[in-house]
Amino acid sequence: MRAAGTPPQGHGAAAGPAATPQRADWTIDQGWERYSAAEHAVWKRLFERQCRLLPGRACEEFVRGMRALPIGADQIPDFRRLSEVLLRHTGWQVVAVPGLVPDEVFFDHLAKRQFPAGNFLRRPDQLDYLAEPDVFHDVFGHVPMLMNPALADYMQAYGEGGRRAQSLGVLANLSRVYWYTVEFGLVQEPGGLRIYGSGIASSFRESVFCLQDPSPNRLRFALERVMRTGYRIDDFQETYFVIHDLAELLELARVDFGPVYDQVRGKPEYQPGQVLSSDQVIHRGSGSYHGAKRRS
Ligand code: HBI
Ligand code: FE
């Protein structure tokens, strides 16, 4: 866990899966009836402050997805009701898990168009950051985008590709693609850059940082490039990758990653803040934010 005052809302392999599960697929009951009034109140705080930030920052599809779903300020959403709506739109469902689950389990859910969402909520002293994906990150951040057909197919393709990447020894490369799209992706809209990544959309401070701060790089998304780029799991990203539109994800879902893995295998990793001469630069970051931290 990092110092107070530091940022976001991503999650990586840092926390590690919870204890041994009762069911093989790690699902549990959401236990919606057991949320306390205090937990619903924390949800409300998170929901309201994030909803104030997202107009003009979140992409159109995120806003539209949110609007069509039974997600509101007053209570933590009930996964059964979310699933009814999602199923009708894109064939996805939300299932409850205790937190991070092993990679294989995560992939198998996504391959079946089931999104595993943490059923617990962060404490009031963790509003800005916690390492594990909780119900706010998973539901507020991910579920609206699962209403979008392109992202819905892309997520399933990631689940299907995950096991293959493991067996080929290239899971790290695939994980970077997931990280820089599903979790921290930006999309170019006519009005400017917008957020579609769930790690950003569920983070109060990174929602502003990723678009308005001069520090991070904003580069055109390129598959091989991203596969070779390390990322930060415990702070704001140093680089965001920008797609043209969400249809680009649909194309990506159809690409055979096999030959791309062959291209990147064994090649050195780029640092999270590095800019290459081959990059299409939208904004070259000053690096001031992470630079100041490295000096202190
Ligand atoms: N488990 N619940 C949950 N949520 C995730 O996003 C998640 C996970 N397990 C593994 C994982 N993500 C990633 O490390 C994989 O995409 C590689
Ligand atoms: Fe996530």
Side-chain angles (χ1 to χ4, degrees), residues 257-280:
F257 280 18
V260 194
Y261 292 143
D262 291 338
Q263 282 301 313
V264 301
R265 199 187 308 269
K267 289 196 180 151
E269 179 181 327
Y270 302 123
Q271 292 310 300
Q274 208 172 331
V275 177
L276 313 175
S277 57
S278 52
D279 285 330
Q280 219 176 299

Side-chain angles (χ1 to χ4, degrees), residues 238-256:
E238 293 184 55
T239 300
Y240 299 92
F241 289 96
V242 180
I243 57 174
H244 288 300
D245 52 35
L246 293 182
E248 195 174 335
L249 296 179
L250 205 55
E251 288 161 38
L252 215 47
R254 292 181 183 140
V255 169
D256 178 7

Side-chain angles (χ1 to χ4, degrees), residues 66-99:
M66 185 72 80
R67 228 180 260 139
L69 283 160
I71 301 180
D74 290 339
Q75 28 182 245
I76 298 169
D78 184 330
F79 294 178
R80 292 164 296 199
R81 295 192 54 218
L82 294 176
S83 296
E84 280 173 26
V85 178
L86 269 178
L87 257 177
R88 278 204 307 275
H89 280 80
T90 55
W92 274 79
Q93 284 178 273
V94 180
V95 296
V97 291

Side-chain angles (χ1 to χ4, degrees), residues 17 25 28 50 59 72 92 98 103 107 122 143 161 170 174 187-188 197 205 208 225 227 252 264-266 271 287:
D25 68 358
I28 55 176
Q50 206 61 18
C59 70
W92 274 79
D103 292 343
F107 297 144
R122 66 195 68 185
V143 172
V170 291
L174 180 65
V187 58
Q188 183 75 59
R205 297 185 55 217
V208 175
R225 189 327 175 181
M227 278 191 183
L252 215 47
V264 301
R265 199 187 308 269
Q271 292 310 300

